[in-house]
Amino acid sequence: MGLPGEPLAPALPDPADLEREATLARLFELHYSSMLRLAVLLGADDPENVVAEAYYQIYRKWRRLRDVDAAEAYLRSTVCNLTRMRIRHLQVARKHVENPPVLPDEAVASAESTALLRDDQRVLIDALQQLPARQREALVLRHWLGLKESEIAAAMGISPGSVKTHTARGIAALTQAMEARR
Amino acid sequence: MTHRDATPSRGTGPGRTERELSEALAALADGVQAAPTPTARHAASGCAANADADSSSPS
């Protein structure tokens, strides 16, 4: 114990906290880019915020995370949920304000990221953004990330059977949209 | 006897849509500037600081 007037020694950081910080930094380096791209493909108008919030949530729930290997799946699932909630929020807000916020499909269509798309690809992405959120999520997870049905089910918190239904309906709707254009 | 080609049609239908969707998503993803920026790092670390404050505050 220090004498009165002596400066207090700085508290030693908790090793568990140090390890958590280091692991989180590694997860950031490993997965930030793919999570940001996932948020964009799902139609988020503020993908950076979605991903930052996903990392915030994983930080808060660190002790409940069974192992670090599960972190990527947890982040992916969180990005899906947050994007869905954000889009729903914008849709509700749009109904109640005079100057509605830009909806995700419009945001994506105007983003620099679409500049490299061919016309037919832009039509397809626009049609994708018009789909119900669950169908869009299932298709992005399947056809961009290449996840298996069981992995998509885990990310979306639904059954594999529902994944099959959402992907089939989504592809049918996109096929119809593309056939109508041809 | 008529000959039927056993290979599925490449030109139409859901199979074609799936292939085109995969290509379009890949192209869109490639166009996203996704390198972690200093701002993103700052936001993540700010979140972590907030999380500590949240967890230390009484519920």
Side-chain angles (χ1 to χ4, degrees):
Chain A
M1 191 171 173
L3 297 170
E6 269 188 5
L8 292 173
L12 289 174
D14 185 339
D17 284 343
L18 288 177
E19 188 185 338
R20 177 172 64 164
E21 299 283 350
T23 308
L24 210 65
R26 201 164 69 245
L27 288 174
F28 191 83
E29 294 299 327
L30 281 175
H31 302 304
Y32 177 83
S33 296
S34 67
M35 294 302 152
L36 188 70
R37 289 187 167 112
L38 176 61
V40 169
L41 298 186
L42 291 176
D45 67 322
D46 58 347
E48 290 90 356
N49 284 338
V50 165
V51 177
E53 174 67 18
Y55 276 93
Y56 168 65
Q57 292 199 11
I58 206 169
Y59 187 93
R60 289 191 68 184
K61 295 174 181 171
W62 194 253
R63 287 181 182 82
R64 275 179 274 167
L65 200 68
R66 278 171 296 176
D67 61 87
V68 175
D69 293 339
E72 182 182 6
Y74 182 85
L75 280 169
R76 196 187 302 138
S77 177
T78 306
V79 167
C80 287
N81 288 336
L82 291 172
T83 301
R84 194 184 321 121
M85 287 163 57
R86 171 71 183 162
I87 290 172
R88 195 178 304 143
H89 168 77
L90 287 178
Q91 286 169 338
V92 171
R94 191 164 228 219
K95 290 179 184 168
H96 293 92
V97 294
E98 285 183 15
N99 297 311
V102 175
L103 281 175
D105 58 317
E106 295 162 359
V108 167
S110 64
E112 287 178 15
S113 53
T114 61
L116 298 175
L117 297 183
R118 300 191 308 261
D119 282 350
D120 60 320
Q121 291 177 326
R122 197 169 290 121
V123 169
L124 192 53
I125 293 298
D126 284 348
L128 177 74
Q129 301 300 337
Q130 303 297 329
L131 295 178
R134 293 287 192 180
Q135 291 180 21
R136 181 168 58 241
E137 281 171 35
L139 290 179
V140 170
L141 294 173
R142 176 74 193 92
H143 293 285
W144 181 58
L145 284 178
L147 298 187
K148 292 183 281 191
E149 244 165 42
S150 58
E151 293 171 320
I152 298 170
M156 294 175 64
I158 59 177
S159 71
S162 296
V163 171
K164 201 177 287 236
T165 302
H166 288 310
T167 50
R169 286 181 182 165
I171 285 294
L174 294 184
T175 301
Q176 199 171 14
M178 296 306 284
E179 296 290 349
R181 181 179 177 271
R182 286 172 191 139
Chain B
M1 181 177 168
T2 56
H3 172 75
R4 284 189 67 180
D5 188 349
T7 57
S9 167
R10 297 182 62 206
T12 59
R16 176 176 175 179
T17 305
E18 288 178 343
R19 281 193 300 278
E20 290 178 342
L21 179 60
S22 295
E23 291 171 10
L25 288 171
L28 182 58
D30 284 348
V32 177
Q33 299 298 316
T37 62
T39 308
R41 287 174 206 280
H42 180 73
S45 61
C47 284
N50 290 338
D52 280 341
D54 287 352
S55 61
S56 62
S57 62
S59 56

